[in-house]
Amino acid sequence: MKIQATDTPLHQWSGDCLGVGFFEEQAEQSAAFGTLNSALDGLLQEVIAENEFKGKSGETVWLRTPSGSGLARKIVLVGLGKPEGWSLEGLRQAAAAIARTAQKQKGKTVAIALPLWEQNATLSAEAIVEGAVLSLHQDNRFKSETENGSRLYVEQIEVLEVGDRAAAIAKAQQICEGVILARELVNAPANVVTPMSLADTAAQLAQELGLSLEVLEKEACEALGMGAFLGVAQASDMPPKFIHLTYKPSGTPTRKLAIIGKGLTFDSGGLNIKPTGSGIETMKMDMAGSAATLGAAKVVGLLKPDAEVHFIVAATENMISGRAIHPGDILTASNGKTIEINNTDAEGRLTLADALVFAEKLGVDAIVDLATLTGACIVALGNDIAGIWSPQDELANALLSASDQAGEKMWRMPLEDKYFEGMKSPIADMKNTGPRPGGSITAALFLKQFVKETPWAHLDVAGPVWTEKESGYHNTGATGFGVRTLVNWVLAEK
Ligand code: BES
Ligand code: MN
Ligand code: ZN
């Protein structure tokens, strides 16, 4: 898809579909309305009146212009809500509404004219491109034949009224490539995305982008004492892969960061098997943290920031066989801590434990992990908001502002040390699960046992990585959540 910024005036743009945004109750006062309405001899005014278009957020109305008018073939009016609440996320959603309408109308050439956010044409252009591109992304890889309705009609998008923004547009397109990679990894079922295929994806990124890659096989993990990760992996017929992908800038790095993603390509629950109704059939998504990690690696490789970044995934499945860990088994992690497994379905934290120990040994300045860790986090924050835990306010705030800029919602949760009492084991250093109340907090406290002094943050993304219904710039299925927050965080000054 070709995307560019042009300064064609609205009434001279003559492609298939022109999308224009209007703030609530202000449509008729706006310059865009005046220009288009007089070019249309008052038709726009009539359409707005007939449709009772108010400009409320989410409202869309489209009209066909008279042939020979020299205008766009169709004009889409999009409501933006109150101007006080205008945001980058509003821009993404409005651009998505325009792109979706153009696609439904089978438009090939599309123009988007929306008000800037805080006079910042660069960030505004980026947000418009993200909203349009991500809303048009469809994953038809697993359909035998592309059905008529599912082909992509939109071929070209022009962003109007943002000045010359070629660099911003290119950057946003690269960010979208990372988000789309993450979505496709999560959408693919567990018989397609396996620990081996995740390692292959990392190898492909390494080759394309000049990153370095180390994949630790089972024996190498054994040598490092990764008993927690390997305990989870031991029932699967697929070999585990511990993936370590590294981006190094050409000069001296300004800082060194590690990003860890939970990479369970399928979570059956193990011997504490997930019963019917628990969502076992969606557990291909239990590698969404690793998908965001690899998606971010792609973008970092393309954008080449000044920071050094380590991308780490302890990839495996959580399965059942004669070799499966028994409830009650005791595993020893690579930092020497022992864990009594009182529930084999709390497997993500076990894989992350060894990944955290590995990351800290790299001597990085900060570690962030992303994991579809607990159903309890979904109970606490719902499907749209990720939980964030960190002992360090500075790191937590940096991630919160990165997420805010990305429009990926997060809410800081407490690391309530007292709750770790529920994880005490009579026989080992700790159990892997505590009581039901505060389940996402005890999971975070468990992870904390495997980080000594490096600033660390944990993101529980179980809710927002998946959506059952199309909304905004997300389509049904994987959302690619986390990629844009990670990229903003890596790109930030500090
Ligand atoms: N992968 C799941 C968490 C999950 C649930 C992700 C729903 C996405 C949607 C995780 O491994 C898990 O099974 N957690 C258990 C922990 C419990 C046994 C303490 C849970 O949340 O029920
Ligand atoms: Mn589980
Ligand atoms: Zn899991």
Side-chain angles (χ1 to χ4, degrees):
M1 196 164 15
K2 196 173 157 213
I3 310 182
Q4 63 195 108
T6 61
D7 45 21
T8 314
L10 299 190
H11 63 287
Q12 283 171 17
W13 192 85
S14 58
D16 292 332
C17 200
L18 167 66
V20 188
F22 296 103
F23 287 122
E24 197 168 330
E25 309 290 2
Q26 295 189 4
E28 286 157 63
Q29 289 103 280
S30 73
F33 173 84
T35 332
L36 290 171
N37 194 45
S38 52
L40 281 164
D41 292 331
L43 182 61
L44 197 58
Q45 174 114 54
E46 287 173 28
V47 170
I48 285 183
E50 275 166 27
N51 290 280
E52 297 180 16
F53 177 84
K54 295 280 182 295
K56 285 200 190 340
S57 158
E59 239 182 313
T60 52
V61 168
W62 67 272
L63 63 135
R64 174 69 168 90
T65 60
S67 15
S69 66
L71 294 167
R73 225 157 41 80
K74 285 169 182 164
I75 297 180
V76 187
L77 315 179
V78 174
L80 307 176
K82 300 256 192 296
E84 304 83 71
W86 193 227
S87 62
L88 290 174
E89 187 62 5
L91 273 166
R92 287 185 199 98
Q93 309 265 356
I98 292 166
R100 284 188 195 283
T101 309
Q103 164 70 13
K104 275 197 206 96
Q105 300 293 324
K106 306 192 175 10
K108 280 189 189 150
T109 55
V110 183
I112 301 179
L114 293 168
L116 299 185
W117 172 76
E118 296 199 340
Q119 309 305 325
N120 188 327
T122 301
L123 289 181
S124 298
E126 277 181 36
I128 289 169
V129 173
E130 286 177 7
V133 172
L134 295 177
S135 68
L136 292 176
H137 165 246
Q138 298 170 327
D139 197 344
N140 297 321
R141 292 171 298 158
F142 304 105
K143 304 237 188 200
S144 58
E145 251 169 66
T146 310
E147 298 151 39
N148 275 339
S150 61
R151 76 165 248 233
L152 181 64
Y153 290 94
V154 178
E155 288 168 5
Q156 190 185 314
I157 298 177
E158 285 177 56
V159 187
L160 307 182
E161 303 179 334
V162 293
D164 179 9
R165 290 287 168 274
I169 288 174
K171 178 184 170 195
Q173 285 183 287
Q174 292 176 321
I175 290 172
C176 291
E177 282 185 47
V179 177
I180 288 170
L181 171 64
R183 284 184 181 179
E184 293 192 341
L185 285 170
V186 176
N187 281 336
N191 59 343
V192 173
V193 165
T194 62
M196 294 87 83
S197 83
L198 279 182
D200 290 344
T201 301
Q204 221 174 316
L205 292 176
Q207 214 216 340
E208 271 170 35
L209 304 164
L211 313 180
S212 57
L213 175 68
E214 184 189 23
V215 178
L216 305 183
E217 303 296 335
K218 185 176 149 216
E219 296 69 27
C221 296
E222 271 164 3
L224 288 171
M226 295 185 174
F229 170 46
L230 293 175
V232 175
Q234 74 195 30
S236 173
D237 284 336
M238 298 195 195
K241 301 278 173 180
F242 190 97
I243 301 165
H244 175 205
L245 188 60
T246 308
Y247 163 78
K248 284 197 167 127
S250 51
T252 316
T254 48
R255 49 184 191 148
K256 298 188 184 186
L257 308 171
I259 296 171
I260 301 174
K262 173 174 170 181
L264 265 290
T265 59
F266 187 72
D267 179 11
S268 72
L271 285 171
N272 292 104
I273 193 165
K274 288 187 182 293
T276 303
S278 66
I280 188 171
E281 69 286 351
T282 65
M283 278 303 140
K284 65 175 185 183
M285 66 140 119
D286 213 15
M287 37 59 71
S290 68
T293 300
L294 294 177
K298 173 150 200 168
V299 184
V300 166
L302 289 167
L303 297 181
K304 308 200 184 312
D306 298 332
E308 174 176 313
V309 194
H310 298 264
F311 303 92
I312 297 164
V313 179
T316 184
E317 299 183 309
N318 185 22
M319 296 297 283
I320 291 177
S321 78
R323 278 175 287 131
I325 35 175
H326 319 91
D329 280 4
I330 297 171
L331 302 177
T332 306
S334 44
N335 64 348
K337 294 207 179 173
T338 60
I339 307 157
E340 180 190 0
I341 308 304
N342 61 338
N343 192 321
T344 60
D345 198 9
E347 82 300 334
R349 61 195 75 183
L350 298 169
T351 66
L352 293 168
D354 283 324
L356 288 164
V357 172
F358 181 93
E360 187 156 38
K361 283 195 227 151
L362 298 170
V364 292
D365 302 313
I367 304 172
V368 175
D369 77 73
L370 288 88
T372 48
L373 204 62
T374 65
C377 193
I378 307 179
V379 173
L381 298 174
N383 278 312
D384 294 349
I385 307 173
I388 170 167
W389 285 259
S390 178
Q392 288 81 25
D393 293 345
E394 204 183 321
L395 178 58
N397 290 334
L399 285 161
L400 285 168
S401 88
S403 85
D404 185 52
Q405 198 188 325
E408 296 184 321
K409 293 197 172 104
M410 294 182 191
W411 192 257
R412 188 159 177 197
M413 301 278 281
L415 275 167
E416 188 64 36
D417 280 324
K418 183 167 176 282
Y419 291 179
F420 195 68
E421 282 168 18
M423 310 283 282
K424 292 255 161 74
S425 163
I427 184 162
D429 295 345
M430 68 194 92
K431 298 192 282 198
N432 73 328
T433 67
R436 256 169 76 85
S440 65
I441 300 175
T442 48
L445 288 169
F446 178 91
L447 297 180
K448 190 167 173 260
Q449 308 307 307
F450 300 89
V451 186
K452 276 195 272 188
E453 51 195 18
T454 309
W456 156 76
H458 158 61
L459 305 182
D460 194 330
V461 295
V465 295
W466 188 264
T467 176
E468 289 298 336
K469 58 175 203 295
E470 164 187 312
S471 105
Y473 47 95
H474 295 309
N475 292 313
T476 307
T479 59
F481 185 94
V483 174
R484 290 176 306 113
T485 295
L486 289 172
V487 169
N488 288 344
W489 177 61
V490 171
L491 260 51
E493 294 293 306
K494 247 189 92 126

